[in-house]
Amino acid sequence: MSTLQGENLSFSQRLAQAFSALGTAFLAQPQNVSLRQQVHSGALSAVAYYTQLRHLAYRVLFLLVAEARGVLPAPGAARGARQRYQRSYALGRAPHLPAQRGGQSRYQRLLTLLGWLGGNAGGAEAAVPCLGIFLHPAPTLAALLDCTLPEAPLSDFVEALQATLLQHPLLPERFGDFDGDVVDSLHLAAQQWQPVFDSKALSWQLLPTPGATMPTAATQSVAPELVARLLDSALEPVVREALLQPTPAAALLALTICDPACGTGTMLRAAARRLAAHLLRTRGGTLRQALYDVIEHCLYGVDSDPASVERCRLSLALEMLAPGITCTSLEQHICWGDSLAGVTPALLAQGLPEQAFRTVADDSPRLALALRKRHQQERQGQMVFTFPAPATPKTARRRRGRQPRANSSTLPKAALVPGSPAHATLLAHAWCATF
C-alpha cells in the first residue's frame, strides 16, 4: 500500500490505506502475542483478519453516527455520566482522547463501549444504553479482543475514516444524515482489495483484486432500478389493500416483508423507506420514528453468509437509530441460515422421508429403488441419528499407524453431546444432506 500516495486517491484507495495502516499497527505490537502466533501458524488467514478489521470499521462508523444523532451519550442520563462519556469514550467529538493514566487505553475503552452497547445492561456510568447484542465485539472481533493498540494508530484510523466518508461527493456532509447505504458503500469498496500476509515477517498488505474496478461513487450491491421495480410489483399492491382498512396505520405495520437472501440489506432498506413513507402520510410524526416502527415490526431477512447478516443488521440499525430507541429486534429478525434447505424438529423426529429417494434429472431409477428399499428396512429399527463417541487416548494408540477413517473423531466434541446446540445442528445437517 506504500504506492498509494498523493491527494488524488479514490474512495476505495483511501479506505485501503486506512485499513492497511490499522492492520499493520496491530501486528507490529509485540504484546499481541496471540494475534501474531495465529498469523505465523496460519490459524488466522489474511481474509479472516481483513474481515475482522472491516467489522471494527463498521462499528466505528455506527458510533460516529450515534454520536452525531444524539444517541450517545444517552440524553436522559445523569450529567456526570454524560460528561464521562465525552471525556473518555467519544470518537467523533474528541478525536485525540488522551490515554487514562493507569487505566484503559483508547482501544480498550472502545471495546468496553461496544461491550456495553451489546450487553444486557449497558453502561450507566458513562451514559451508554444497550442497543443490540449484534454490536458486541466478541462474536466478530475474536482475534482483536485481547490486542493492544497505541493511541496514534486508532486515532489516525478514526480520522481517516471520517475524512474519507465526509469528502465523498455522493455521501451526506454530516454523519447524522448517513443511512444504511454507507455500510454497502464501505463493503463494496473494501472488496476491491485482496489481503496478503507474509507470516514469517508478520507483514500485511492490501493488493488490488484482479479484475476489480475501483468504484468512484457510492454504489449499491443491487441496482436501484431493479429494487424499485420489485417494490412496485410486490409491495405496493398489499400496501394499497392496507390503506383501505379501517385502521390503515395498524394494517401497514401488520405487513411482513421477508428477504430470503438479504445480503447487506439493500432490498430491506428500500422496502423500509417505501413503507415508512406510506406510514408517515397516514399517521404523521417523524420519518425516523416511522422507519423504526417499520423495521421493528415488518422486516425479516435470512442469509447464509454470517458477515452479510452482520452488515445487514448494522445498516438497518443506522436507518432506525434515534435517541431513546433500541435495535434489539434485529438479532431475531435478521438471521443467519439457509432459506433454501432446512429442517424443523417435527420433521427430524419423523426420520428421513421417502421424498429424499425420488429420482431427479439423471438419477439411476434402479439405484434409487435399491436405496429406497434399504431405507424402508432401516426405518423399522433405530429411528434416531447417533454418532459414536470420539476415540479415547487408549484406543487412539491402538489405531496409530492405521489409515485414518472418517468418523465422529473428526467432529467437534460439542457436536457429540445430545441436546446441545452443536448436536442439534449436526443432526439437521445430516438430515438435509440426504437430499
Side-chain angles (χ1 to χ4, degrees), residues 35 38-39 41-52 143 195-197 204:
L35 174 65
Q38 291 181 63
V39 172
S41 66
L44 181 68
S45 67
V47 173
Y49 184 54
Y50 188 31
T51 298
Q52 294 194 33
V196 178
F197 271 149
W204 143 272

Side-chain angles (χ1 to χ4, degrees), residues 261-277:
C262 60
T264 57
T266 301
M267 195 76 69
L268 289 176
R269 292 194 304 273
R273 294 165 189 166
R274 182 79 69 92
L275 194 54

Side-chain angles (χ1 to χ4, degrees), residues 3 37 42 67 98 105 133 146 158 177 180 207 226 229 235 238 255 262 264 285 295 315 411:
T3 58
Q37 286 178 344
E67 291 176 2
S105 68
I133 299 175
D146 297 328
V158 174
D177 297 330
L207 302 176
L226 176 61
R229 180 171 296 184
L235 180 60
V238 294
L255 297 177
C262 60
T264 57
I295 295 173
S315 70
L411 297 171

Side-chain angles (χ1 to χ4, degrees), residues 143-154:
L144 305 179
L145 289 178
D146 297 328
C147 290
T148 61
L149 189 67
E151 307 299 311
L154 180 59

Side-chain angles (χ1 to χ4, degrees), residues 58 61 179-188 311 314-315 318:
Y58 299 144
L61 168 64
D179 55 28
D181 291 345
V182 68
V183 176
D184 225 3
S185 297
L186 277 176
H187 167 62
L188 293 174
R311 292 189 295 271
L314 284 168
S315 70
L318 290 179

